[in-house]
Amino acid sequence: MTEPVIRCAWAGMADPMYIAYHDDEWGRPLRGDDEVFERVSLEAFQSGLSWLTILRKRENFRAAFDGFSIPKVAAYTEHDVERLLGDAGIVRNRAKIEAAVANARAALDLPGGLSDLVWRHADPDAPVPKTMADVPAVTPGSKALAKELKKHGFKFVGPTTAYALMQAIGLVNDHIEGCLARTR
């Protein structure tokens, strides 16, 4: 008899996109300034929404935001903000769009780059969660990351959003004990 597949409860949905994200992407180390900028941006856009909504719109976001190229987004003008507000393929929220532009500008000024700044907050020794109840929403590390990003001019990067980023790009491994993606 085949062993049952164990996944983190949040990925138990039947949506293949969500399952693929959980199994192949979430929690895997991701580096690179533009790549991390994309995740910072998408986590901010997700605030108050389902992550599945963002996943379904991710390719539209990538097209609308020039592949999340930091120099390109940093050069956006009010005309670009208006263009983005008219794009039904993304989340059309002025504050979040303006935050993405401001964050790109802030990222340009970071000594060492965005990826290095974020990865200084990695916590490879975080305890292995046994259940989803053991997974925190905020940690001292996410508070420190949010504080540092804000110090550099980033917006929409509170401790909860910072922790979601840390989980998504592998700064912590919050796949539950026994999850098929934990050791991949």
Side-chain angles (χ1 to χ4, degrees), residues 4-15 18-24 26-28 128-135 167 172-183:
V5 173
I6 298 172
R7 286 188 175 90
C8 300
W10 63 265
M13 306 169 108
D15 190 290
Y18 217 42
I19 293 169
Y21 176 73
H22 169 271
D23 291 359
D24 303 323
W26 189 77
R28 301 252 189 294
V128 176
K130 294 191 185 315
T131 70
M132 293 310 296
D134 297 327
V135 177
Q167 292 172 306
V172 295
N173 183 347
D174 275 346
H175 286 286
I176 62 166
E177 186 176 79
C179 175
L180 71 95
R182 177 134 190 105
T183 58

Side-chain angles (χ1 to χ4, degrees), residues 64-141:
F65 282 90
D66 289 300
F68 289 97
S69 164
I70 292 171
K72 288 180 181 178
V73 176
Y76 281 8
T77 64
E78 182 58 32
H79 173 75
D80 293 295
V81 171
E82 293 301 322
R83 170 184 60 81
L84 292 165
L85 285 169
D87 188 337
I90 67 168
V91 174
R92 297 178 289 178
N93 177 299
R94 180 177 291 277
K96 292 176 181 182
I97 291 169
E98 289 175 347
V101 175
N103 292 349
R105 291 174 183 157
L108 279 179
D109 294 333
L110 291 173
L114 178 60
S115 185
D116 284 351
L117 181 150
V118 170
W119 274 91
R120 283 198 301 266
H121 297 273
D123 188 2
D125 298 322
V128 176
K130 294 191 185 315
T131 70
M132 293 310 296
D134 297 327
V135 177
V138 173
T139 64

Side-chain angles (χ1 to χ4, degrees), residues 127-162:
V128 176
K130 294 191 185 315
T131 70
M132 293 310 296
D134 297 327
V135 177
V138 173
T139 64
S142 74
K143 289 177 185 176
L145 175 56
K147 182 177 179 181
E148 187 168 359
L149 288 169
K150 286 179 182 180
K151 179 180 86 172
H152 288 286
F154 281 73
K155 300 176 181 187
F156 267 90
V157 289
T160 303
T161 299

Side-chain angles (χ1 to χ4, degrees), residues 6-85:
I6 298 172
R7 286 188 175 90
C8 300
W10 63 265
M13 306 169 108
D15 190 290
M17 183 179 281
Y18 217 42
I19 293 169
Y21 176 73
H22 169 271
D23 291 359
D24 303 323
E25 193 173 344
W26 189 77
R28 301 252 189 294
L30 178 76
R31 295 179 188 266
D33 290 341
D34 290 348
E35 292 82 356
V36 172
F37 173 64
E38 175 182 337
R39 294 302 180 80
V40 168
S41 300
L42 293 179
E43 291 294 347
F45 275 103
Q46 184 273 330
S47 183
L49 302 171
S50 159
W51 183 247
L52 189 54
T53 298
I54 301 304
L55 278 179
R56 288 180 176 152
K57 293 178 177 274
R58 183 161 57 170
E59 292 307 317
N60 297 334
F61 273 109
R62 286 174 173 162
F65 282 90
D66 289 300
F68 289 97
S69 164
I70 292 171
K72 288 180 181 178
V73 176
Y76 281 8
T77 64
E78 182 58 32
H79 173 75
D80 293 295
V81 171
E82 293 301 322
R83 170 184 60 81
L84 292 165
L85 285 169

